[in-house]
Amino acid sequence: MALVRSVVLVVLALCAHPAMADETHGLEPTGTWDMQPVGTAPTPPMGWNSWNAFHLDLTEAGLIASAQVLVDGGFAALGYRTVNIDDGWWLKRRQGDGRLQVRTNVFPDAALAGGETSLRPWTDRLHAMGLKAGIYTDVGRNACSQAWSSDPATLPQGTRDEREVGLAGHVEQDIALYFATWNFDYIKVDGCGIAHYGADRHHVANGTFRALAPLINDTDPGQDDIPATRARYAEVRDALWRVRPRGDFVLSLCNWGTANVRDWGRQVGTMWRTSGDIDPTWGRMLHNFDSVATREFYAGPGHWNDPDMLEVGNGAFDGAHLTEARAHMALWAIEAAPLIIGTDLAAAPPAIRAILANPEVIAVDQDPAGHQGVIAYADDEREIVVKTLSVRGTKAVLLFNRLDEPTTIILTAQHLKMADSTPIALRDLTMRRDMGTMTSMRRFALAPHEALLLRAVGTPRLTHGWYLAELPGRIAVAADGIVVPQPDPTIHRMIDSHTGDTTGFGPRPTYYGWGAPRTDATVFSETLTLAGQPLRDGIGVEANSRLQLRAEGAFAHFAARVGVDDSTRGRKAGVRFEVWGDGHLLAKSAEQHFGVPPADISADITGVKVVELVARQVGADDGPVLATWGEARVD
Ligand code: GAL
């Protein structure tokens, strides 16, 4: 009896906040929206971070100089409010009580009487400037700098135990220190401690650090321990909810797109990295951009894909490369990416400041509907990405030339899902000038590396309602149907910045996501096709998947043409398509099969808060079964 009672108490405790209940990925509809926010970020977080600007060479003066520009240069008023300290702030973990000590040669104001250190003066100073404060830690025992840097002046000091500055074993204590005592607002939690401290590493074998069997494998994603990685981060999330029960925090997960974080990031963090570190080169920026570009159904208000911090102002995006700097900014804005400035703002030339502070580009990123852009056209050279904005009939569209030669891009009304017989008004948001109108199509000449970010105002192709593919921020992938996670092969592979040479194999695909639901394409990037008929619009899924639509009573009807896609791998199984409303079955199709004409399915969704679309596999298992919600729409 006592055991039963304590189990019940534990379950109740775990359910204290919706985000703390442990999440399942079942096929059965729950009637409950799957994307309860973790912390608070109704629009993508904005701010500044020290890493891309200074790496480990931190000084309080350097940080304050950028913070001051945020205020004086009008950046804070535009939304760039959080000043994040990255790696390098810590000195040691005091033995005895385990309290983290601050590096006072970096933060002189952190030195208190009696030898104690505190970052409270730092956060008080930022808060007094009208800013917010972000801190950095690692989910393991040790940090990234300790694995990669050999400069002792910038690294934690002392005995092996004193140098264990990461969260492992101290989650409650450290989170309480950072958020209750020191009053931070935002935390970035890195993952090197669970990736780079295996017993075979030189710095572990020689006794410098304690071994921690890696949960993340930096070369072979197939060996990632997905549940254990997720559990470590979930522990941090739960501690944050305890210290900040009103949700006034941002939790930024930094495990570089590994361990299938694509799939669980929204339940554990406010934002999650989708790739390895950006650096200020064109190829690496493309890589990081591609790592979010097909993940539109995973982001939305309160939870964001993070392709990493901006390099605008640095290297290939500095004042001598304004085309590239503008493109980088436009790419992040169309993807509703967090906008975290990563340059020394005090030293940034006016043209770079103007790119970062362009209110029309920021407005695209921060649009309250929170839809990520979706790919409307892509080849290896050119891309068209379209983002639905909150005002009906208004979209942002990015025309992007990836190559270092000029090119031409033809934008059509079809790409925008707008009527092709009425004018569409265009405005160049980067250059802040109107560009007249187009009707069915318009041709644009693009310079090498140019991205044109346009706002298009026209008549929606659907007189009433929306294609679901236009509303990715209202959709959650509750179950993706993927049996074995596979790395995504469509992400640009840049020259390996660690070696730069060709002695190895070159970068291999490493981020899971291949096979996940897609807009206007099958899960494997093919044309949606049902019984020989290609479809321009729809959502491609694998069978045994469940999508949720946050309808909130805004729609009356759902309709789609459904079937097993012609490009399915498994051809033998059937698929039954079901539409659920708030946990009740509203409509279902007959069992669909490969090559059979699509079925029409529709449902009355008046007053429904959560619509769930289930594609249920029936029978044989001879490979992934690709199911198509063709022309899925609501009005
Ligand atoms: C990396 C992280 C970077 C930066 C760095 C600090 O793992 O992705 O953004 O925080 O560690 O050492």
Side-chain angles (χ1 to χ4, degrees):
M1 189 59 193
L3 178 66
V4 170
R5 201 170 54 230
S6 57
V7 168
V8 168
L9 287 176
V10 167
V11 170
L12 285 175
L14 281 174
C15 295
H17 189 279
M20 290 167 71
D22 223 7
E23 308 82 358
T24 55
H25 277 60
L27 202 52
E28 297 318 315
T30 60
T32 310
W33 176 236
D34 203 46
M35 304 238 261
Q36 296 301 332
V38 175
T40 305
T43 58
M46 292 176 70
W48 180 91
N49 175 293
S50 56
W51 183 252
N52 290 347
F54 301 124
H55 295 98
L56 294 171
D57 298 325
L58 295 180
T59 61
E60 196 172 38
L63 299 176
I64 274 295
S66 280
Q68 200 63 54
V69 177
L70 290 184
V71 177
D72 301 343
F75 289 84
L78 289 163
Y80 292 106
R81 254 182 225 108
T82 307
V83 174
N84 293 296
I85 315 168
D86 209 276
D87 205 343
W89 64 266
W90 33 33
L91 180 68
K92 63 173 66 160
R93 185 180 293 284
R94 187 164 67 195
Q95 300 303 289
D97 67 355
R99 179 173 157 128
L100 259 302
Q101 303 295 295
V102 182
R103 183 180 286 281
T104 51
N105 61 348
V106 173
F107 290 97
D109 289 353
L112 305 184
E116 184 57 281
T117 64
S118 169
L119 282 172
R120 184 65 189 240
W122 169 251
T123 63
D124 284 348
R125 192 168 172 190
L126 292 177
H127 290 148
M129 293 168 77
L131 299 171
K132 293 188 171 220
I135 195 164
Y136 167 93
T137 185
D138 194 287
V139 78
R141 289 192 200 107
N142 294 100
C144 291
S145 51
Q146 293 174 300
W148 299 115
S149 166
S150 53
D151 176 5
T154 60
L155 295 175
Q157 293 171 8
T159 64
R160 190 196 65 182
D161 293 351
E162 284 174 322
R163 283 182 280 104
E164 292 188 348
V165 292
L167 289 172
H170 298 272
V171 173
E172 295 293 333
Q173 177 182 21
D174 289 359
I175 294 299
L177 178 68
Y178 301 157
F179 282 82
T181 313
W182 290 353
N183 207 19
F184 277 94
D185 308 289
Y186 180 119
I187 189 164
K188 170 175 166 183
V189 183
D190 220 325
C192 289
I194 57 169
H196 305 306
Y197 291 87
D200 56 338
R201 296 287 170 122
H202 173 71
H203 51 255
V204 175
N206 70 12
T208 309
F209 301 109
R210 255 202 293 175
L212 195 154
L215 306 178
I216 294 169
N217 186 298
D218 49 357
T219 50
D220 180 0
Q223 302 203 27
D224 289 350
D225 187 337
I226 297 170
T229 302
R230 175 186 169 142
R232 293 257 183 168
Y233 278 105
E235 207 187 326
V236 182
R237 171 200 65 191
D238 295 349
L240 276 161
W241 277 118
R242 276 189 280 277
V243 179
R244 291 283 170 92
R246 287 183 307 146
D248 45 344
F249 65 85
V250 166
L251 171 55
S252 161
L253 311 180
C254 183
N255 64 312
W256 329 288
T258 67
N260 208 16
V261 66
R262 166 197 65 90
D263 182 50
W264 49 266
R266 70 187 184 282
Q267 292 162 328
V268 177
T270 322
M271 57 197 261
W272 50 92
R273 286 274 298 278
T274 52
S275 70
D277 289 8
I278 195 166
D279 64 35
T281 62
W282 184 251
R284 187 73 213 194
M285 191 278 294
L286 290 180
H287 174 91
N288 283 44
F289 171 69
D290 287 353
S291 74
V292 289
T294 57
R295 298 201 176 1
E296 63 270 16
F297 291 128
Y298 293 86
H303 29 77
W304 307 101
N305 288 315
D306 175 14
D308 206 357
M309 304 172 288
L310 295 166
E311 290 281 13
V312 173
N314 306 334
F317 310 97
D318 68 7
H321 300 89
L322 294 178
T323 301
E324 286 76 9
R326 289 189 192 107
H328 179 6
M329 183 73 187
L331 264 60
W332 263 232
I334 200 83
E335 297 297 6
L339 296 179
I340 310 293
I341 297 171
T343 198
D344 178 359
L345 274 178
I352 290 295
R353 290 192 189 187
I355 290 169
L356 290 164
N358 180 329
E360 300 192 36
V361 174
I362 293 171
V364 170
D365 183 82
Q366 295 288 302
D367 183 84
H371 300 300
Q372 189 176 304
V374 302
I375 295 173
Y377 175 89
D379 57 35
D380 284 348
E381 217 176 304
R382 298 164 299 186
E383 264 172 286
I384 302 177
V385 183
V386 178
K387 181 183 198 287
T388 303
L389 300 177
S390 41
V391 176
R392 185 168 167 81
T394 306
K395 297 205 165 163
V397 55
L398 177 96
L399 311 181
F400 181 36
N401 178 10
R402 298 166 69 108
L403 283 191
D404 41 16
E405 288 163 26
T407 192
T408 299
I409 293 184
I410 299 173
L411 174 68
T412 71
Q414 179 86 266
H415 291 132
L416 296 165
K417 299 196 196 297
M418 288 183 182
D420 60 7
S421 50
T422 51
I424 299 169
L426 298 175
R427 180 172 171 80
D428 177 343
L429 301 176
T430 303
M431 294 307 181
R432 306 185 67 187
R433 59 179 178 220
D434 289 337
M435 296 195 73
T437 59
M438 62 177 256
T439 41
S440 63
M441 61 176 65
R442 183 158 161 182
R443 179 185 294 265
F444 296 85
L446 279 93
H449 294 177
E450 185 176 0
L452 262 179
L453 182 64
L454 308 175
R455 189 183 59 218
V457 182
T459 310
R461 176 137 49 83
L462 286 179
T463 324
H464 301 291
W466 305 88
Y467 290 108
L468 288 191
E470 295 179 279
L471 305 175
R474 291 186 88 127
I475 290 173
V477 183
D480 60 19
I482 296 171
V483 178
V484 179
Q486 290 181 61
D488 185 339
T490 63
I491 294 168
H492 177 79
R493 297 182 303 149
M494 66 291 151
I495 295 170
D496 183 342
S497 56
H498 292 300
T499 68
D501 64 30
T502 59
T503 51
F505 289 108
R508 293 265 163 92
T510 45
Y511 314 124
Y512 291 131
W514 193 229
R518 291 287 307 278
T519 302
D520 300 339
T522 74
V523 300
F524 298 133
S525 277
E526 296 149 320
T527 303
L528 296 172
T529 312
L530 293 176
Q533 197 189 339
L535 300 172
R536 285 289 305 223
D537 307 289
I539 297 179
V541 297
E542 287 198 21
N544 285 337
S545 61
R546 176 166 58 97
L547 301 180
Q548 292 192 329
L549 167 70
R550 184 169 44 86
E552 289 174 327
F555 310 112
H557 306 107
F558 168 87
R561 296 167 67 204
V562 295
V564 174
D565 200 274
D566 286 6
S567 64
T568 188
R569 306 301 192 257
R571 292 188 169 192
K572 293 190 183 141
V575 176
R576 212 169 52 228
F577 294 79
E578 302 167 0
V579 181
W580 294 69
D582 294 336
H584 303 287
L585 182 65
L586 304 179
K588 71 174 181 206
S589 73
E591 198 176 306
Q592 293 300 112
H593 284 274
F594 170 68
V596 168
D600 287 326
I601 186 168
S602 62
D604 179 346
I605 55 169
T606 309
V608 168
K609 291 195 175 60
V610 179
V611 174
E612 291 178 87
L613 305 178
V614 177
R616 198 182 291 272
Q617 183 171 331
V618 187
D621 214 350
D622 62 335
V625 180
L626 304 200
T628 291
W629 293 91
E631 292 162 8
R633 57 202 182 275
V634 288
D635 61 40

